[in-house]
Amino acid sequence: MRTFDVVAAQDVPTYGTFTVQAEDPAAALAAATARLEADASLLSDAQPDGAYGLRIVALQEDDQDLLFADVGLDPEAPLGPGAAVRGALMETTSMLAQLVVSLGEAGEHPDELDRLAANLRLLGEGDAVAMDLAAARHATPPEAWAEQVMVWSFEQPPAPGDGT
């Protein structure tokens, strides 16, 4: 049996109160921001009943490269930075699929195919097509499967704020 190291987290809201003196609201916001960045211990009142964001932060084997990162387990609490991470993962998934297809003989690149399947599972939250593609990894011939992933990636809308 293989052993995998897991880092997990659940966000717990922590509150604190303090005062700042300033000339106007914008200056008060700047002062409050600077104070919090300098001293996070101002937030000392944890509210465990308000916990959210259960997630696997990292999963790896034998101190090797991460196999999974930031896997959200709470559909009500999207991971931050959310759209930016999804956009980057989508872009790298698309590029990897294009590379595997362009190399031909996709079956000779099982690690890359497994990475595509893992990415699809990460991207698949709320996307049945992505989850079905991930599940079909070993049931579909490698060349056909890699091409399906590539086509799927081309059909995805651009991430918000990516300028396209």
Side-chain angles (χ1 to χ4, degrees):
M1 196 62 82
R2 294 162 57 184
T3 301
F4 296 87
D5 297 314
V6 179
V7 176
Q10 184 168 32
D11 295 325
V12 176
T14 307
Y15 298 89
T17 60
F18 59 93
T19 60
V20 294
Q21 294 182 337
E23 296 283 326
D24 56 48
L29 178 60
T33 300
R35 189 155 175 209
L36 276 171
E37 289 176 344
D39 185 9
S41 70
L42 292 166
L43 304 175
S44 60
D45 184 17
Q47 300 293 314
D49 291 342
Y52 68 97
L54 184 62
R55 66 193 182 283
I56 302 296
V57 176
L59 185 143
Q60 66 188 86
E61 184 176 16
D62 297 327
D63 292 329
Q64 299 297 315
D65 292 337
L66 288 178
L67 299 171
F68 295 96
D70 286 329
V71 179
L73 304 176
D74 184 351
E76 301 299 317
L79 295 172
V85 170
R86 181 177 172 75
L89 182 58
M90 188 67 243
E91 184 177 351
T92 58
T93 300
S94 181
M95 290 189 308
L96 180 57
Q98 292 173 58
L99 175 65
V100 169
V101 168
S102 73
L103 292 172
E105 302 297 326
E108 293 181 16
H109 307 284
D111 291 343
E112 287 74 15
L113 295 175
D114 289 343
R115 170 51 51 204
L116 284 172
N119 286 4
L120 287 168
R121 286 190 297 275
L122 291 171
L123 290 164
E125 195 170 301
D127 185 334
V129 175
M131 294 305 282
D132 289 347
L133 271 173
R137 158 67 177 98
H138 294 287
T140 305
E143 289 75 18
W145 184 79
E147 189 157 329
Q148 290 171 0
V149 173
M150 182 180 72
V151 169
W152 172 84
S153 73
F154 290 156
E155 295 171 347
Q156 301 311 298
D162 77 354
T164 59

